[in-house]
Amino acid sequence: MKTLFLTAIYSNLNGTDLGGRQSREMHYKWSLLNILNMEPYKVICFTSEEELESLESWFYGIHNVDKELLEFRTYDLRNCDNYDLIQANKDLEFVKKGDRCHEIQYMKFFWSRLIEDRHDYDRIYWIDAGLSHGGLFPEKYMMGDQWEQHFLISLFTPDILKRWNEMTDNRIVLLSKNNTERYFWSQTIPEDYYHNYNRDRHIIGGMFGGTPDNFNNITDSFEFYLLRLLKEQNELYHEELIMTCMYNNAKSKFIPLEFDDWYEREEWKDDDIDPILFHHLFL
């Protein structure tokens, strides 16, 4: 099945008006290199002009990745969709000190509109470049004995991609975390945006996708909610909070891959619980 992955690497945004995590360059590079082991037909990675040369040298030169498999496209985040509305709601000093970039979060959806031949693919997925990370997977699945083993995770296989493809004929697949009691993770957007308010599940923005038509539909839906929030609320909400509302308002359109917690917690080892952990979704 002809599958397209969309992703992005912007590793130098921390401390800027865009906001971003510190010291993530090699994390993102090694993680994306490992994600390629899932054998998608094509990966398009958006990045900045400043990082393009380094990325091309590392992937094409050092690791011999085929340019037909991995394509880099430069994109100025300050030209993103609805940038003026985002700026009007942005607490600039908070963003400079923070580790999340709202422009990237929202463009996870809108970048798909820049792929001219997207309907030539059978499936399109957004997948975070840094998703292959040892903090989410037990040590036994790490490959190698150097620092990069924390990002080279053996569970990113063609079989996982095949599984996603087989379940997404009519719906969008996404990641859904238990958000109740001991597993509580996050608040959500105001209740007024829900048809029937429920925050028992929290949608994770690290991976989602399906057919090109359904990806178009979820992008349109995300834009509808985002524009309402940008115009009606004096706050920028993470994409996951908006996705959580979208999921609850139209569950029949989604296939949730459900888990309870990110990893096994030492403080709960004597409790009578058997949680589904994030890495179980890859087994």
Side-chain angles (χ1 to χ4, degrees), residues 58-89:
W58 198 84
F59 281 94
Y60 302 152
I62 297 175
H63 293 281
N64 298 311
V65 174
D66 190 333
K67 293 182 180 181
E68 294 300 313
L69 169 62
L70 176 61
E71 175 187 345
F72 293 101
R73 294 193 185 187
T74 59
Y75 185 87
D76 184 349
L77 291 170
R78 293 179 179 84
N79 291 330
C80 74
D81 292 43
N82 309 302
Y83 179 73
D84 291 340
L85 283 173
I86 294 170
Q87 290 300 109
N89 286 278

Side-chain angles (χ1 to χ4, degrees), residues 10 13-16 18-22 28 95-96 98-101:
Y10 292 82
L13 301 180
N14 185 259
T16 73
L18 293 168
R21 302 188 189 279
Q22 290 182 325
Y28 294 152
V95 167
K96 287 180 179 179
D99 62 2
R100 299 292 301 276
C101 174

Side-chain angles (χ1 to χ4, degrees), residues 191 194-199 248-249:
E191 294 184 30
Y194 283 77
H195 300 333
N196 294 291
Y197 177 71
N198 187 325
R199 69 173 195 187
N248 277 284
N249 286 350

Side-chain angles (χ1 to χ4, degrees), residues 169-266:
D169 188 37
N170 297 310
R171 292 181 286 173
I172 289 285
V173 67
L174 41 66
L175 305 172
S176 171
K177 185 190 178 302
N178 191 338
N179 202 42
T180 64
E181 299 176 349
R182 73 169 71 210
Y183 300 115
F184 177 76
W185 181 252
S186 175
Q187 300 289 349
T188 184
I189 64 176
E191 294 184 30
D192 291 347
Y193 295 88
Y194 283 77
H195 300 333
N196 294 291
Y197 177 71
N198 187 325
R199 69 173 195 187
D200 288 352
R201 307 298 308 183
H202 174 73
I203 302 306
I204 305 301
M207 186 284 293
F208 56 89
T211 65
D213 284 341
N214 282 336
F215 204 103
N216 288 346
N217 292 338
I218 192 179
T219 298
D220 291 343
S221 179
F222 181 83
E223 185 172 42
F224 170 79
Y225 284 96
L226 175 62
L227 287 175
R228 282 190 62 193
L229 288 163
L230 289 174
K231 293 173 181 178
E232 299 171 2
Q233 304 292 324
N234 188 30
E235 184 173 350
L236 292 179
Y237 291 96
H238 293 320
E239 90 283 21
E240 296 185 344
L241 306 189
I242 303 173
M243 293 174 71
T244 298
C245 179
M246 291 166 54
Y247 167 73
N248 277 284
N249 286 350
K251 288 185 178 181
S252 64
K253 296 181 179 180
F254 300 96
I255 299 174
L257 302 180
E258 297 185 345
F259 67 104
D260 294 310
D261 210 353
W262 295 106
Y263 47 80
E264 187 173 350
R265 298 182 186 270
E266 182 68 20

Side-chain angles (χ1 to χ4, degrees), residues 64-165:
N64 298 311
V65 174
D66 190 333
K67 293 182 180 181
E68 294 300 313
L69 169 62
L70 176 61
E71 175 187 345
F72 293 101
R73 294 193 185 187
T74 59
Y75 185 87
D76 184 349
L77 291 170
R78 293 179 179 84
N79 291 330
C80 74
D81 292 43
N82 309 302
Y83 179 73
D84 291 340
L85 283 173
I86 294 170
Q87 290 300 109
N89 286 278
K90 182 178 288 189
D91 181 337
L92 190 56
E93 293 308 312
F94 178 81
V95 167
K96 287 180 179 179
K97 297 175 183 177
D99 62 2
R100 299 292 301 276
C101 174
H102 286 89
E103 288 81 358
I104 290 177
Q105 291 176 45
Y106 302 158
M107 288 303 296
K108 289 181 180 184
F109 294 87
F110 303 135
W111 269 317
S112 66
R113 293 174 173 171
L114 302 183
I115 311 304
E116 300 84 356
D117 63 346
R118 62 186 180 277
H119 288 283
D120 292 344
Y121 295 90
D122 299 296
R123 299 290 187 272
I124 300 176
Y125 299 93
W126 172 269
I127 186 164
D128 284 0
L131 191 64
S132 179
H133 175 31
L136 301 175
F137 297 89
E139 186 175 354
K140 65 181 179 179
Y141 298 113
M142 298 180 186
M143 300 181 291
D145 55 6
Q146 302 298 317
W147 172 86
E148 59 266 22
Q149 71 175 309
H150 297 288
F151 310 101
L152 300 180
I153 309 299
S154 63
L155 297 181
F156 284 77
T157 67
D159 286 340
I160 295 299
L161 180 56
K162 180 181 178 182
R163 190 188 308 170
W164 294 351
N165 285 342

